[in-house]
Amino acid sequence: MLKLLKTNFVYSSLILILSAMSLLLSAQQPMPELKSGYNDKQMQDYLLKAKKVVFDNQDSALLMLKNAKQYFSSFSAVNKAVFYNTYGLYYWFTKEYDSSILVLKNTLDIQLEDEDIEYRVEAANNIGTLYSKLIVLDSAIKYLNISLEMDVARNNEAGIAKSYYDLGSVYDRKSHYELALKYMLKSVDLHEKIKAKPRRIINNYNVLGNLYEKINDSVSAIKSFKKGLSLAEQEADSMMISMIHGNIAVVYQAYNNQTEALKHTRLSAQYMMRNQDSDEQRSAYYFNIASSFVSQSQLDSALFYIKQGLPNISKMDLKNQVDAWIVVSHYYLQNKQPDEAAIAINNALSIARSLKMPILLADALDHQAKIDSVKLDFKSAFFHFKRSRELYDSIHNKEHLQRVAELRILHDADKKEAENKFLKEQNTLKEKLITIQRHTLIVVFVLLAGLIFLLFYLRRSNKKVEHQREIILKKNIELNNLNQTKDKFISIIAHDLKSPFNSLLGLLQDMIRNFDEYDDDEKLNLLKGVNKSSFNTYNLLINLLDWTMAQRNGFQNKPGRVVVKDAVEKVFQFLETRAKQKN
């Protein structure tokens, strides 16, 4: 039975879908022109536009590439890489696979800067995928591993996940199922970790289901299919829903659960009719569904889908053409039309003999033997049966050898994975070291800046302290001067007040002692003298207090008119008593 679109159509499906979506937009856009006097950046932009156009319009892309090719000798390394990768895609889409591989290999010979290494990774991965399409599987593994190593070195998890998927698909085609499972499980884990596009994760689970089915682990197969189906239903992806239902039907059919097989076959048919895929892909779906209906003896339904697929059968992949013609032959044989069945199986045999896939030829020969038996041509039936057994035995023996080889490959793969892991750890360590160095530089810079600021602050503070010290010294000098002035002032006050009080006290003592001897006029004169002396002393005290205030608050110059005569008379009056005492 058919197990179509499980590996080799996955990424090409994405390309074709994107192409269909953007075709209308790109068809109306004028082809960019390459103006004279271009610089390196302008050439790169031009080539990247050509690379974008090639997905939708190969003719326009080819014209752009030919226009750019005349300047190839002056291309930078990165522009040469873009040029070769775009030409490789052109040959791929025009199905000139050998030419595509030759052109893409040129990219691997170009020395690129680390930031442009993606073009080498892309070239290696595309070469590996093309070799897989051409069933040159060892070469496919070689170049996919080159792509994987480069992505591991640059820690590109999306690229690593894709390379795991592609390697799993190739090992599936080589019937190295355990190795295929190993890579596919890594792929789905990594795709889920980086939250890849749902379609990639759905494809992972679909291929995992097919691999489990091939090693007769139906429980794990159904579990994987249902995980993929759940995601496909969330995304309303009718193509993947149809495909997965068809694959689930195959598992149930293998275990004779006709009810579930028929249920999922019908669901596959229902969702398939909603698809808007290419004729090639739709034909593959038609024969996949027809195969399930034939297995369940639902011949009317099988015929409907066979008729839908036949017009475009020649557009399908050669392997899928063999499977399709076997489905047609099975239908005719069950419908008791052995001659038509023989024509269909001859078509399958013709194609199978041109392919290096013994299992396809063995399946076709085995079915040819059944047709011969129905036609009562037992000699021919025995010949074809014997030939199919020989191929099956050869495949069986080869599988034993492949198992030994697979164990060796698993060992080498584990060794390579350990090396890749070590390389990845080294890169991670380098990144951490670079991060630590950056952080250290930042800390040192901050510390230096802080130290400079601290020194500046201390210098400024020292200047302030020095200034404060100078002010304090100056204040101390001023205070000492003030203290000296105060002492001098006290001495002056004591001297100036002593004499007036001595005179005043002398007059009062004399008046008290000789009070009775003086008449009233004399007493009155004495009292007037005492009053005058007291008034002069009071004025002296007031002047001294004013002088004290002036010393404390500072002098203010207030010019004014002074009558010298009055001032001199006041001094005379003040000194008069002492002058008389001293005669």
Side-chain angles (χ1 to χ4, degrees):
M1 290 181 286
L2 287 174
K3 294 183 179 74
L4 304 177
L5 302 174
K6 295 173 183 175
T7 302
N8 55 323
F9 280 9
V10 172
Y11 287 102
S12 59
S13 298
L14 292 173
I15 292 171
L16 290 168
I17 290 169
L18 290 172
S19 299
M21 291 173 63
S22 59
L23 184 58
L24 291 175
L25 292 174
S26 62
Q28 296 179 353
Q29 294 177 354
M31 185 180 72
E33 294 182 1
L34 184 60
K35 297 180 180 180
S36 59
Y38 68 92
N39 57 35
D40 192 64
K41 179 64 170 60
Q42 289 170 332
M43 175 57 76
Q44 185 175 347
D45 291 341
Y46 183 80
L47 290 171
L48 289 173
K49 286 178 182 177
K51 187 177 180 184
K52 186 176 181 180
V53 169
V54 77
F55 288 92
D56 305 324
N57 190 329
Q58 288 78 48
D59 291 337
S60 295
L62 181 61
L63 288 174
M64 293 177 70
L65 289 169
K66 287 182 176 179
N67 192 21
K69 188 176 181 181
Q70 58 185 315
Y71 307 105
F72 184 83
S73 59
S74 63
F75 280 5
S76 63
V78 65
N79 283 347
K80 288 180 180 178
V82 178
F83 178 82
Y84 284 133
N85 280 10
T86 306
Y87 238 123
L89 289 172
Y90 166 76
Y91 283 126
W92 184 336
F93 294 138
T94 55
K95 298 188 177 181
E96 299 178 63
Y97 300 138
D98 291 330
S99 296
S100 180
I101 290 171
L102 287 174
V103 172
L104 289 171
K105 283 182 177 179
N106 290 324
T107 306
L108 300 182
D109 297 329
I110 300 174
Q111 295 301 317
L112 296 170
E113 300 293 334
D114 290 344
E115 61 267 21
D116 299 318
I117 200 70
E118 62 182 283
Y119 296 113
R120 294 188 69 194
V121 177
E122 178 187 346
N125 190 273
N126 284 343
I127 291 170
T129 304
L130 285 165
Y131 273 130
S132 179
K133 287 178 71 68
L134 295 172
I135 317 180
V136 186
L137 301 181
D138 290 334
S139 294
I141 291 169
K142 172 186 173 181
Y143 284 95
L144 289 173
N145 273 317
I146 291 173
S147 171
L148 176 62
E149 288 173 6
M150 286 190 285
D151 271 328
V152 168
R154 63 183 185 144
N155 198 26
N156 178 24
E157 291 185 321
I160 294 170
K162 183 181 183 301
S163 292
Y164 283 154
Y165 179 93
D166 293 335
L167 283 166
S169 300
V170 174
Y171 281 118
D172 179 13
R173 301 191 79 171
K174 284 176 70 70
S175 300
H176 292 173
Y177 300 130
E178 290 186 20
L179 195 53
L181 271 171
K182 175 183 176 180
Y183 279 112
M184 204 57 67
L185 286 168
K186 286 184 176 183
S187 177
V188 71
D189 288 344
L190 197 50
H191 272 140
E192 287 183 335
K193 175 188 172 184
I194 64 176
K195 297 181 179 179
K197 292 180 180 180
R199 169 61 74 84
R200 289 189 180 274
I201 301 175
I202 295 167
N203 279 323
N204 266 135
Y205 279 120
N206 184 48
V207 177
L208 271 176
N210 288 323
L211 287 170
Y212 281 124
E213 192 270 332
K214 288 176 181 178
I215 62 174
N216 298 317
D217 186 352
S218 60
V219 174
S220 296
I222 294 296
K223 185 177 178 181
S224 294
F225 283 137
K226 287 189 174 179
K227 282 184 178 179
L229 184 61
S230 176
L231 285 173
E233 288 173 344
Q234 289 177 24
E235 296 297 314
D237 190 335
S238 57
M239 182 183 83
M240 293 307 301
I241 294 172
S242 174
M243 185 190 303
I244 295 172
H245 275 302
N247 290 333
I248 293 174
V250 169
V251 177
Y252 282 123
Q253 183 63 37
Y255 288 90
N256 295 317
N257 189 335
Q258 299 296 335
T259 303
E260 286 296 315
L262 185 59
K263 167 188 168 184
H264 287 283
T265 300
R266 286 173 175 168
L267 286 170
S268 177
Q270 175 185 339
Y271 281 98
M272 187 274 293
M273 297 304 292
R274 302 177 187 179
N275 292 334
Q276 299 295 324
D277 302 309
S278 66
D279 292 337
E280 176 184 353
Q281 289 174 308
R282 290 180 66 82
S283 294
Y285 299 147
Y286 288 135
F287 285 111
N288 198 24
I289 294 169
S291 174
S292 294
F293 279 126
V294 168
S295 299
Q296 297 156 43
S297 300
Q298 301 286 321
L299 299 184
D300 291 339
S301 297
L303 179 60
F304 173 80
Y305 290 102
I306 287 172
K307 285 181 177 180
Q308 300 297 318
L310 277 175
N312 295 297
I313 193 170
S314 62
K315 296 180 180 179
M316 295 167 58
D317 180 88
L318 291 177
K319 175 187 177 298
N320 293 332
Q321 288 186 41
V322 174
D323 287 335
W325 283 117
I326 291 175
V327 170
V328 175
S329 184
H330 270 292
Y331 164 77
Y332 282 125
L333 191 60
Q334 281 202 33
N335 205 38
K336 300 180 180 179
Q337 296 175 270
D339 292 335
E340 287 78 1
I343 294 172
I345 205 62
N346 281 332
N347 290 333
L349 284 168
S350 176
I351 300 170
R353 288 190 178 100
S354 68
L355 299 175
K356 297 177 181 179
M357 297 184 72
I359 188 66
L360 289 177
L361 184 57
D363 288 344
L365 288 169
D366 182 68
H367 189 65
Q368 176 71 67
K370 293 176 182 178
I371 295 171
D372 292 338
S373 295
V374 171
K375 296 176 70 174
L376 305 178
D377 187 353
F378 298 113
K379 182 178 179 180
S380 180
F382 177 74
F383 172 79
H384 289 118
F385 178 78
K386 181 181 177 182
R387 179 64 182 135
S388 69
R389 293 307 104 183
E390 289 172 352
L391 285 171
Y392 282 133
D393 290 341
S394 172
I395 293 167
H396 182 68
N397 292 333
K398 187 177 179 181
E399 284 177 351
H400 283 294
L401 295 174
Q402 284 180 333
R403 179 58 184 150
V404 174
E406 185 174 353
L407 290 173
R408 185 175 66 252
I409 293 169
L410 281 168
H411 172 73
D412 293 341
D414 288 338
K415 183 178 178 182
K416 178 65 71 175
E417 183 178 351
E419 292 174 354
N420 289 338
K421 184 178 179 181
F422 175 76
L423 180 61
K424 186 176 180 180
E425 288 174 351
Q426 288 293 102
N427 289 334
T428 303
L429 185 61
K430 287 179 182 178
E431 290 175 359
K432 287 182 179 179
L433 183 59
I434 291 171
T435 302
I436 290 171
Q437 289 174 341
R438 287 175 180 171
H439 289 168
T440 303
L441 287 173
I442 292 171
V443 171
V444 170
F445 176 78
V446 171
L447 288 175
L448 285 173
L451 182 60
I452 292 170
F453 176 78
L454 180 61
L455 290 173
F456 175 78
Y457 177 78
L458 288 174
R459 184 178 178 185
R460 188 174 179 182
S461 297
N462 287 336
K463 285 184 177 181
K464 286 184 178 180
V465 169
E466 185 67 24
H467 181 64
Q468 296 267 347
R469 192 173 68 83
E470 291 176 358
I471 292 174
I472 291 171
L473 289 174
K474 187 176 180 181
K475 291 291 184 184
N476 285 337
I477 293 170
E478 290 177 356
L479 286 173
N480 287 331
N481 292 335
L482 286 173
N483 283 332
Q484 292 176 5
T485 302
K486 178 194 70 174
D487 293 341
K488 208 179 278 187
F489 170 65
I490 292 173
S491 175
I492 292 170
I493 290 176
H495 180 269
D496 288 350
L497 290 178
K498 182 178 178 182
S499 295
F501 274 105
N502 284 336
S503 299
L504 181 60
L505 291 172
L507 286 172
L508 289 172
Q509 286 176 356
D510 181 66
M511 186 176 176
I512 292 169
R513 191 180 300 117
N514 302 306
F515 186 79
D516 294 333
E517 295 179 6
Y518 292 113
D519 56 22
D520 292 337
D521 291 334
E522 290 175 332
K523 290 179 182 177
L524 179 61
N525 288 331
L526 286 172
L527 287 173
K528 288 181 179 179
V530 170
N531 178 63
K532 184 177 180 181
S533 179
S534 297
F535 180 76
N536 289 335
T537 302
Y538 172 76
N539 285 334
L540 174 63
L541 183 60
I542 292 300
N543 287 334
L544 290 172
L545 290 174
D546 289 341
W547 182 82
T548 302
M549 291 292 291
Q551 286 290 322
R552 189 165 59 188
N553 298 329
F555 291 98
Q556 290 184 352
N557 184 22
K558 293 183 178 180
R561 297 178 66 83
V562 176
V563 180
V564 177
K565 179 184 176 188
D566 294 340
V568 171
E569 286 180 352
K570 289 180 180 179
V571 175
F572 283 163
Q573 290 174 4
F574 177 71
L575 297 175
E576 182 180 3
T577 303
R578 281 182 287 173
K580 287 181 178 180
Q581 289 176 347
K582 294 179 179 181
N583 196 23

